Amino acid sequence: MAIKFQYNKTSLQQLEKQLKVRVRTLPIIKNKESALRMEVKRCKTDAVKLEERLEKQIQAYEAMFALWNEFDATLIKVKDVHLGVRKIAGVRVPLLENVDFDIRPYSLFNAPKWYADGIHILKQLALTAIEREFTLAKLNLLEHARKKTTQKVNLFEKVQIPGYQDALRKIKRFMEDEENLSKSSQKILKSQQEKRKEEEQ
């Protein structure tokens, strides 16, 4: 990325201001990136744990497979999922607050005794699956934000800050050369004027 500038004091001041902003912002962005990196790692661990828990629950569900043929699956369904929003290092992520289930009434006398346990097992299964989906959505958001922040850190560190420093160096050299030329031309002019005065006298 070539930084556009002119060889004058105004351009020099603007570039110095831009450089200061980037140098001041860089540590903040680096902190955000490391916070996001830690959060992504934590989120990945949570996702793996939830995946394992879901697998165990599905295996427990399959162990009673013969009984599930008798179970009326329409007795329970997810009624509502309550969401919240949490900011992690400036990134808004969804937060699962609560899940409401709608349990249809059934006869305790006519239904098998294990129906209550079946409802509980399905509730836990649904809760874990929903929680896992939220964790994966959160992971995607955090991963995306971390990549963007890493790109910004690299842009500032490897492109913009060195670019501004280089541009400032060029302007300062140019202005110094110009000043030296001006002084030299003034000296020459002065010496010529003195020569003329001497010749006139």
Side-chain angles (χ1 to χ4, degrees):
M1 181 188 110
I3 291 159
K4 292 176 184 173
F5 62 90
Q6 294 172 338
Y7 292 99
N8 57 37
K9 274 190 176 177
T10 310
S11 186
L12 182 75
Q13 288 169 343
Q14 286 173 343
L15 290 178
E16 282 174 340
K17 205 182 283 181
Q18 292 288 331
L19 180 63
K20 272 183 191 170
V21 166
R22 278 157 180 77
V23 168
R24 230 179 302 135
T25 310
L26 186 62
I28 297 164
I29 299 171
K30 279 185 170 180
N31 286 343
K32 179 180 177 174
E33 186 203 17
S34 64
L36 284 170
R37 187 162 294 182
M38 283 172 54
E39 202 58 44
V40 164
K41 195 175 179 183
R42 190 178 301 132
C43 207
K44 280 181 180 173
T45 308
D46 290 349
V48 168
K49 284 178 184 172
L50 284 166
E51 190 68 49
E52 288 169 0
R53 192 186 338 158
L54 191 62
E55 280 300 313
K56 281 179 186 170
Q57 288 175 345
I58 288 170
Q59 283 171 2
Y61 171 87
E62 286 173 349
M64 299 166 58
F65 189 70
L67 294 172
W68 287 110
N69 288 334
E70 298 172 30
F71 188 76
D72 182 6
T74 62
L75 285 178
I76 183 171
K77 66 179 179 184
V78 175
K79 184 179 175 184
D80 199 5
V81 177
H82 298 280
L83 307 176
V85 174
R86 187 173 144 215
K87 269 192 174 184
I88 298 172
V91 181
R92 291 168 60 91
V93 291
L95 187 68
L96 179 64
E97 289 179 346
N98 195 13
V99 179
D100 292 339
F101 291 95
D102 195 15
I103 300 168
R104 218 179 69 218
Y106 62 95
S107 169
L108 292 171
F109 298 107
N110 297 335
K113 288 180 189 175
W114 61 271
Y115 259 39
D117 290 336
I119 288 171
H120 178 73
I121 289 169
L122 284 180
K123 234 187 204 182
Q124 292 306 310
L125 205 60
L127 256 171
T128 306
I130 291 168
E131 207 175 325
R132 184 176 138 268
E133 288 305 311
F134 267 86
T135 304
L136 292 175
K138 180 173 142 184
L139 180 63
N140 285 338
L141 285 169
L142 290 170
E143 191 70 61
H144 178 72
R146 189 202 55 79
K147 281 179 186 169
K148 286 274 184 211
T149 310
T150 303
Q151 285 173 351
K152 202 167 193 176
V153 166
N154 289 337
L155 178 70
F156 276 28
E157 231 175 16
K158 296 176 177 143
V159 180
Q160 289 187 345
I161 291 175
Y164 279 111
Q165 288 170 336
D166 188 46
L168 286 169
R169 222 180 352 266
K170 285 177 183 174
I171 294 172
K172 284 176 182 172
R173 274 195 200 130
F174 177 82
M175 289 170 80
E176 283 170 8
D177 289 349
E178 210 173 47
E179 196 178 320
N180 290 341
L181 282 171
S182 171
K183 283 178 183 174
S184 299
S185 63
Q186 283 174 357
K187 280 181 183 176
I188 293 168
L189 196 65
K190 197 175 183 182
S191 66
Q192 284 177 347
Q193 285 174 345
E194 284 172 3
K195 261 187 188 178
R196 274 195 207 123
K197 278 184 184 176
E198 284 173 17
E199 285 172 4
E200 285 173 6
Q201 288 174 353

